[in-house]
């Protein structure tokens, strides 16, 4: 009975897919996590929004920290809301930033808004809709103006196929400033076939591409998250190797000839032949 009462007290919502989204206390930090059917989607510490608990999110934060001048406000577009970890981080580290967030599920956004409220005065606008369709409805003034675009869209534990194609990234790239940066969260496992296609696909749209990941994940020895960073302009990478080696966990940056070899032979994903990202093993997120 006690366990039943505990479960009943956990804030949750049923999504359009039938999945259940919940806000649960983290078992290892003072923050809380959004999970969907047991898959962790976001970690948020309302007392310290600069605390980026998930490793791949911390790597995104490391790149964001190097954009523009420290504390300078950014114009940002986030595709996939989760619990808005990165928008909260940008607001905390760069007050006054203008941010647009696109989330497919209104029930998920209602759950997050009620249980993990945004900072008062934050210029974060949340739009409900499919990420690709909503891009076409964003204000015209954002075209060519985004310092940062983050694509971190998951339906359950997979990225939908239509958000992985050269046509999709071409549309995304229209919104980047001449030196703006696109960050893409890619989850993959043995062989990294999906990640290799994503690197090839994004590289067909944006000239400068790097990959940040934990060493064993980058070697395809374990399922994990890789962060692809891409830009029309050269990326400032001289500081990244030492930063990645410092943690979380030993990690590295793949770039230049290494990245060319990484993506060698991978087909560019198109609307005609793209696939969703691979589904992780159910045991991956066992607590």
């Amino acid at each position: 009975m006690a366990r039943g009462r505990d479960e009943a007290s956990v804030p949750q919502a049923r999504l359009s897919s039938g999945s259940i989204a919940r806000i649960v206390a983290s078992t290892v930090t003072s923050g809380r996590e959004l999970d969907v059917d047991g898959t962790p989607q976001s970690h948020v510490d309302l007392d310290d929004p600069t605390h980026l608990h998930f490793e791949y999110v911390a790597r995104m934060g490391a790149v964001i920290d190097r954009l523009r001048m420290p504390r300078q406000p950014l114009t940002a577009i986030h595709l996939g809301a989760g619990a808005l970890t990165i928008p909260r981080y940008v607001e905390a580290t760069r007050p006054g930033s203008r941010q647009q967030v696109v989330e497919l599920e209104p029930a998920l956004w209602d759950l997050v808004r009620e249980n993990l409220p945004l900072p008062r005065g934050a210029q974060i606008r949340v739009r409900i809709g499919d990420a690709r369709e909503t891009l076409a409805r964003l204000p015209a003034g954002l075209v060519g103006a985004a310092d940062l675009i983050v694509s971190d869209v998951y339906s359950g534990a997979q990225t939908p196929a239509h958000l992985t194609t050269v046509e999709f990234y071409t549309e995304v790239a229209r919104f980047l400033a001449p030196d703006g940066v696109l960050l893409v969260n890619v989850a993959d496992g043995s062989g990294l076939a999906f990640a290799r296609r994503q690197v090839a696909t994004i590289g067909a749209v944006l000239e400068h591409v790097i990959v940040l990941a934990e060493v064993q994940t980058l070697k395809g020895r374990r399922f994990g998250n890789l962060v692809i960073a891409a830009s029309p302009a050269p990326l400032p990478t001289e500081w990244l190797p030492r930063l990645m080696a410092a943690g979380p966990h030993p990690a590295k940056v793949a770039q230049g000839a290494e990245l060319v070899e990484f993506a060698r032979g991978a087909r560019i994903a198109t609307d005609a032949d793209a696939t969703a990202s691979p589904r992780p093993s159910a045991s991956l997120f066992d607590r």
Side-chain angles (χ1 to χ4, degrees):
M1 291 295 292
R3 182 176 180 180
R5 286 195 300 271
D6 289 343
E7 287 295 317
S9 67
V10 173
Q12 58 186 274
R14 184 175 295 277
L15 307 184
S16 60
S17 63
S19 297
I20 299 297
R22 307 186 308 154
I23 304 291
V24 299
S26 171
T27 58
V28 294
T29 78
S30 59
R32 287 188 283 175
E33 293 180 6
L34 166 69
D35 80 42
V36 178
D37 287 347
T39 300
Q41 301 279 349
S42 303
H43 175 279
V44 170
D45 187 336
L46 293 180
D47 294 328
D48 181 10
T50 67
H51 174 205
L52 302 179
H53 177 62
F54 291 168
E55 294 173 17
Y56 82 90
V57 180
R59 293 181 186 118
M60 286 185 169
V63 175
I64 293 168
D65 287 347
R66 299 292 169 160
L67 301 181
R68 304 285 184 257
M69 297 297 291
R71 304 290 290 179
Q72 181 178 349
L74 301 177
T75 296
I77 299 171
H78 306 267
L79 305 178
L84 282 78
T85 305
I86 289 292
R88 296 172 198 268
Y89 180 79
V90 171
E91 170 61 24
T93 58
R94 296 167 179 271
S97 293
R98 299 180 303 154
Q99 302 190 75
Q100 300 270 340
V101 180
V102 180
E103 171 54 49
L104 178 64
E105 292 283 354
L108 187 148
W109 168 230
D110 288 343
L111 177 70
V112 170
R113 179 173 53 188
E114 292 170 8
N115 294 278
L116 299 170
L118 291 172
R120 187 181 301 275
Q123 298 182 57
I124 301 173
R125 176 169 181 180
V126 178
R127 297 174 182 268
I128 300 299
D130 174 82
R132 188 162 171 179
E133 293 176 358
T134 304
L135 277 175
R137 301 198 299 272
L138 291 179
L142 285 174
V143 174
D147 303 305
L148 170 68
I149 301 178
V150 179
S151 183
D152 190 6
V153 185
Y154 280 79
S155 177
Q158 294 177 280
T159 301
H162 73 293
L163 303 180
T164 69
T165 70
V166 69
E167 293 89 348
F168 167 67
Y169 290 120
T170 298
E171 178 65 12
V172 168
R174 289 198 314 117
F175 290 88
L176 281 174
D179 58 351
V181 173
L182 168 66
L183 295 177
V184 182
N185 173 29
V186 173
D188 203 358
S190 178
L192 298 176
F194 178 78
R196 295 175 195 277
R197 286 195 80 184
Q198 285 298 278
V199 169
T201 302
I202 293 170
V205 177
L206 295 167
E207 180 178 358
H208 302 277
V209 182
I210 62 174
V211 174
L212 302 79
E214 191 269 336
V215 172
Q216 296 305 311
T217 299
L218 194 56
K219 291 180 178 180
R221 294 177 180 171
R222 52 171 287 185
F223 195 99
N225 296 85
L226 303 90
V227 173
I228 300 175
S231 176
L235 292 157
T237 57
E238 65 278 359
W239 49 273
L240 278 170
R242 185 171 61 181
L243 184 65
M244 292 300 99
H249 289 295
K252 67 171 295 182
V253 181
Q255 57 185 311
E258 181 181 6
L259 200 59
V260 170
E261 186 62 29
F262 178 85
R264 188 179 302 280
R267 290 183 298 113
I268 293 170
T270 71
D271 285 345
D273 68 2
T275 60
S277 63
R279 184 183 296 276
S281 166
S283 64
L284 184 65
F285 303 111
D286 286 349
R287 295 179 182 275

